[in-house]
Amino acid sequence: MQPRQEEMMARDRDGGWSGGGDAQPPESAARAAQAAALLRPGDPQHAAYPLSEAEYWRDACPREPYHDPARSAGDYAPAYELGWVSYQLYGGAFDIAERVVANDWLVRKGVSTLSWEEARPAVRAAWQRAENARSYATDGSAGAARVGELLEALLQNARDGELGLREAAGHAGPAELAAHFEALAGQCADWAQHWRGEIERRGGAVGAGGTVAGAAQRVWLQLRGLFGGAGDDALLQECERGLDDIARHCRAALRANLPRELHEAAHRQLEQAQRHADHLRRLRRHAARAGASDAATSSLSR
């Protein structure tokens, strides 16, 4: 077998996670680009997992909230592939298709050591990326006034998220939960800085919103009312709700035909908010199961 053939077969086997390889011949690359231009992510022809997605997840995986440093990249790679391919096959809401996808994991996991419960967050994240890619496109036609309005909304929402999450961190019980809320607050602060810079770059004036009082009047109202007596479950639920609201603002921006660089930034923030909201939901479910188990154990010991 020729070295070139061996290399191509090796890349097919590992899904492209090992990198390397020569570029396609110019004529082949041109044909592939022409064919891809006729398709949209989510079309059945894209059920063949694209190398670009494998490369994206190879880079993003270590920063994901569900990532276990003790696991190898090869453990997560089949989960991302399954999420992308499953969206093309089934579409719709992940929660509706989950039982079928969970069965597919048993067949497609290969050498991955992840159980379905461990693989599920990665599968769902890849499903969401495929769904978002299909759902949101832009032609960049939004006018300057509309762009400014949306950027201001994104900025204020990120500021509110930062303030609410920092307060949640100050009232969380376990130190690891407080640290998680602080990390999320830091991400909101980064996004607020990003949107502020985009407003100023376009000659706009940045409003003074996002104060604690302002946050209390918007999405974090209920959360702030809980402080002083809220349990960790209530904090998780309200922070999850706040992240869902950030995702809602991002979706509104993605439907508005923003300039491409702003559209892509809103897309990145949407994915971050989705994954972290999903992570808080998982934390709540795990805590509820642990609480039910402790209650059952206590009942049996009486």
Side-chain angles (χ1 to χ4, degrees), residues 51-84:
L51 180 59
S52 60
E53 282 299 297
E55 291 173 340
Y56 170 85
W57 286 115
R58 179 178 57 194
D59 177 64
C61 182
R63 299 189 299 275
E64 292 293 292
Y66 51 79
H67 176 257
D68 181 352
R71 300 290 190 174
S72 71
D75 281 324
Y76 287 100
Y80 294 128
E81 180 173 359
L82 177 63
W84 175 277

Side-chain angles (χ1 to χ4, degrees), residues 178-204:
H180 187 66
F181 286 150
E182 276 290 346
L184 290 177
Q187 288 196 3
C188 286
D190 289 343
W191 279 111
Q193 182 178 5
H194 177 85
W195 298 127
R196 179 189 180 100
E198 291 292 351
I199 292 171
E200 292 176 340
R201 188 163 67 86
R202 287 165 171 77

Side-chain angles (χ1 to χ4, degrees), residues 109-144:
K109 65 185 294 186
V111 298
S112 175
T113 62
L114 298 179
S115 67
W116 168 246
E117 185 65 22
E118 293 166 330
R120 182 184 182 278
V123 176
R124 183 183 177 94
W127 176 293
Q128 287 173 336
R129 259 183 69 81
E131 182 179 17
N132 291 339
R134 179 174 183 130
S135 300
Y136 304 110
T138 185
D139 60 13
S141 62

Side-chain angles (χ1 to χ4, degrees), residues 222-245:
Q222 186 173 347
L223 187 146
R224 293 192 68 246
L226 291 170
F227 292 154
D232 292 331
D233 181 75
L235 292 178
L236 282 166
Q237 187 170 359
E238 292 308 312
C239 289
E240 174 192 321
R241 188 175 67 89
L243 289 168
D244 284 338
D245 191 70

Side-chain angles (χ1 to χ4, degrees), residues 83-286:
W84 175 277
V85 171
S86 295
Y87 177 73
Q88 325 307 328
L89 294 176
Y90 309 124
F94 177 82
D95 292 341
I96 295 175
E98 180 176 351
R99 182 172 296 182
V100 176
V101 179
N103 289 334
D104 291 346
W105 174 246
L106 300 177
V107 177
R108 300 184 64 115
K109 65 185 294 186
V111 298
S112 175
T113 62
L114 298 179
S115 67
W116 168 246
E117 185 65 22
E118 293 166 330
R120 182 184 182 278
V123 176
R124 183 183 177 94
W127 176 293
Q128 287 173 336
R129 259 183 69 81
E131 182 179 17
N132 291 339
R134 179 174 183 130
S135 300
Y136 304 110
T138 185
D139 60 13
S141 62
R146 179 61 173 153
V147 170
E149 175 186 321
L150 288 166
L151 288 177
E152 180 69 21
L154 289 167
L155 169 61
Q156 299 303 337
N157 192 241
R159 283 171 163 173
D160 285 354
E162 178 190 359
L163 290 165
L165 286 160
R166 290 205 192 282
E167 289 206 42
H171 292 81
E176 61 269 23
L177 183 58
H180 187 66
F181 286 150
E182 276 290 346
L184 290 177
Q187 288 196 3
C188 286
D190 289 343
W191 279 111
Q193 182 178 5
H194 177 85
W195 298 127
R196 179 189 180 100
E198 291 292 351
I199 292 171
E200 292 176 340
R201 188 163 67 86
R202 287 165 171 77
V206 176
T211 63
V212 172
Q217 294 170 14
R218 294 190 288 269
V219 66
W220 300 93
L221 172 62
Q222 186 173 347
L223 187 146
R224 293 192 68 246
L226 291 170
F227 292 154
D232 292 331
D233 181 75
L235 292 178
L236 282 166
Q237 187 170 359
E238 292 308 312
C239 289
E240 174 192 321
R241 188 175 67 89
L243 289 168
D244 284 338
D245 191 70
I246 289 174
R248 181 175 63 82
H249 277 75
C250 290
R251 290 189 188 96
L254 289 169
R255 289 190 290 266
N257 287 317
L258 290 172
R260 185 162 301 279
E261 70 277 8
L262 298 180
H263 182 88
E264 291 174 353
H267 202 158
R268 290 193 299 272
Q269 188 181 13
L270 169 63
E271 291 185 343
Q272 283 188 5
Q274 284 178 320
R275 293 173 202 169
H276 285 292
D278 287 343
H279 185 63
L280 295 188
R281 277 187 276 275
R282 286 194 300 276
L283 292 178
R284 284 203 301 119
R285 285 198 302 268
H286 292 164

